[in-house]
Amino acid sequence: MLLRHIRYFLAVAEQGNFTRAAEVLHVSQPTLSQQIKQLEETLQVELFDRSGRRVQLTDAGQAWMRYARLALQDLEAGKRAIQDVATLERGNLRLAMTPTFTSYLIGPLVDDFFRRYPGITLNIREMTQDKMEALLCDDQLDLGIAFEPVHSTDVTATRLFTERLQLMVGKGHQLAKRRAALSVAEVQQVSLVLLNGDFATRHYVDEYCQQHSIHPQVAMEANAISAIVEIVRHGQLATILPQAIARSNPLLLPIKLSVPMPERHAVVLQRKEGYRSAASRALIAMLQDQVKEMG
């Protein structure tokens, strides 16, 4: 059995069609069919039911697919391990994070990482935590930065820091000079621009409001933190975002609350039992140092 047999098997299983799988693999259909037949002869089972319009996995094929995927992941990890250089003079690192972190964490981190390890290619993606965990499990990512709780049992989490959400306004807002903490009832009277429901931050905000029977005045929603920051800086809407965003932007002013917003724990995610490259270990160490500086 060869690596190509595993790749060919997974391609046919995913496409449900030999012709489409051959196109994806850039091989001829007869070649693909012959290789699958060799694999079935080696395993002494039929992996595919070819009787219908769509090729279906047999029971044996279903059972074998999980192990084929794991084998391919481990082989790819082994390939990266061979290419990994302890001196970090070259290599690749695939990093993902939830959108909140891109507004205050990624800039200093990437700059510092590039200065230390210019030979490492850093591939950064922004995505939801559910998608991040799925890609980690499929070995499509090396690291993720997200929040507890972690939902996949195949993903491990290392806690980075604890942050609290904060009500904040621009310097021209009517609450800008407020020194006394806002009561829960007063929070309900504040017109807000918030992240939409695609963001974990919004779920924390909604949960806080539900717990304290608040019906927030959501005047506007956005899917970009940068847009919200600009709206709040120049207008009369307030927002609720991580405290670190206010600390990194002097034109945003935090407003005290008599009942503080909830805390949440930021974590680094990795595939359980996955290969830990020198680049990933270096980035985690830098993250931990950056967190200490954030205080």
Side-chain angles (χ1 to χ4, degrees), residues 121-190:
T121 300
L122 194 58
N123 185 308
I124 304 170
R125 301 171 64 182
E126 183 181 273
M127 63 184 66
T128 64
Q129 185 162 339
D130 288 345
K131 183 176 181 181
M132 190 185 306
E133 291 185 27
L135 291 179
L136 282 166
C137 291
D138 288 339
D139 198 32
Q140 299 299 307
L141 289 173
D142 298 305
L143 297 173
I145 306 176
F147 296 103
E148 291 182 339
V150 177
H151 304 290
S152 173
T153 57
D154 293 323
V155 173
T156 61
T158 302
R159 188 171 291 184
L160 280 174
F161 60 89
T162 299
E163 71 171 14
R164 189 183 295 278
L165 298 180
Q166 177 73 58
L167 180 70
M168 55 190 76
V169 300
K171 289 190 173 181
H173 194 278
Q174 59 185 359
L175 292 175
K177 296 183 180 179
R178 171 84 177 227
R179 294 294 176 264
L182 289 185
S183 67
V184 170
E186 288 175 309
V187 171
Q188 189 169 240
Q189 303 305 313
V190 179

Side-chain angles (χ1 to χ4, degrees), residues 187-249:
V187 171
Q188 189 169 240
Q189 303 305 313
V190 179
S191 296
L192 300 169
V193 51
L194 297 178
L195 290 166
N196 64 31
D198 293 336
F199 291 78
T201 296
R202 178 60 182 273
H203 297 301
Y204 280 93
V205 173
D206 290 344
E207 184 177 339
Y208 172 87
C209 293
Q210 291 171 6
Q211 287 177 348
H212 300 287
S213 301
I214 298 173
H215 301 285
Q217 294 190 33
V218 182
M220 195 178 302
E221 292 183 336
N223 66 353
I225 292 175
S226 58
I228 290 178
V229 168
E230 289 303 304
I231 291 168
V232 173
R233 281 178 53 193
H234 298 287
Q236 287 297 310
L237 294 178
T239 192
I240 298 173
L241 291 171
Q243 287 177 330
I245 293 178
R247 288 198 299 267
S248 64
N249 193 321

Side-chain angles (χ1 to χ4, degrees), residues 4-231:
R4 69 169 176 269
H5 289 130
I6 299 175
R7 292 188 184 279
Y8 289 3
F9 165 77
L10 291 174
V12 176
E14 290 167 1
Q15 298 298 324
N17 183 282
F18 275 84
T19 301
R20 288 197 297 271
E23 291 172 354
V24 170
L25 294 166
H26 304 292
V27 298
S28 68
Q29 183 175 334
T31 297
L32 176 59
S33 298
Q34 180 186 37
Q35 294 295 314
I36 294 296
K37 192 65 177 176
Q38 287 181 5
L39 177 60
E40 290 177 323
E41 290 173 354
T42 300
L43 296 174
Q44 298 182 342
V45 293
E46 286 192 359
L47 296 170
F48 294 103
D49 177 359
R50 301 164 173 81
S51 61
R53 294 185 62 184
R54 179 178 174 83
V55 176
Q56 301 282 351
L57 286 166
T58 63
D59 290 344
Q62 288 281 4
W64 197 69
M65 184 167 66
R66 175 175 178 270
Y67 296 98
R69 284 177 170 164
L70 290 173
L72 185 60
Q73 289 176 6
D74 287 340
L75 287 168
E76 291 293 340
K79 183 179 178 181
R80 292 199 305 277
I82 293 172
Q83 296 172 342
D84 183 29
V85 179
T87 57
L88 291 168
E89 293 177 355
R90 59 182 172 83
N92 295 276
L93 183 63
R94 304 163 300 175
L95 172 67
M97 59 184 64
T98 55
T100 304
F101 292 114
T102 58
S103 61
Y104 68 91
L105 187 67
I106 191 62
L109 176 66
V110 169
D111 182 63
D112 192 15
F113 190 84
F114 177 74
R115 288 174 187 272
R116 296 191 195 185
Y117 313 113
I120 302 296
T121 300
L122 194 58
N123 185 308
I124 304 170
R125 301 171 64 182
E126 183 181 273
M127 63 184 66
T128 64
Q129 185 162 339
D130 288 345
K131 183 176 181 181
M132 190 185 306
E133 291 185 27
L135 291 179
L136 282 166
C137 291
D138 288 339
D139 198 32
Q140 299 299 307
L141 289 173
D142 298 305
L143 297 173
I145 306 176
F147 296 103
E148 291 182 339
V150 177
H151 304 290
S152 173
T153 57
D154 293 323
V155 173
T156 61
T158 302
R159 188 171 291 184
L160 280 174
F161 60 89
T162 299
E163 71 171 14
R164 189 183 295 278
L165 298 180
Q166 177 73 58
L167 180 70
M168 55 190 76
V169 300
K171 289 190 173 181
H173 194 278
Q174 59 185 359
L175 292 175
K177 296 183 180 179
R178 171 84 177 227
R179 294 294 176 264
L182 289 185
S183 67
V184 170
E186 288 175 309
V187 171
Q188 189 169 240
Q189 303 305 313
V190 179
S191 296
L192 300 169
V193 51
L194 297 178
L195 290 166
N196 64 31
D198 293 336
F199 291 78
T201 296
R202 178 60 182 273
H203 297 301
Y204 280 93
V205 173
D206 290 344
E207 184 177 339
Y208 172 87
C209 293
Q210 291 171 6
Q211 287 177 348
H212 300 287
S213 301
I214 298 173
H215 301 285
Q217 294 190 33
V218 182
M220 195 178 302
E221 292 183 336
N223 66 353
I225 292 175
S226 58
I228 290 178
V229 168
E230 289 303 304
I231 291 168

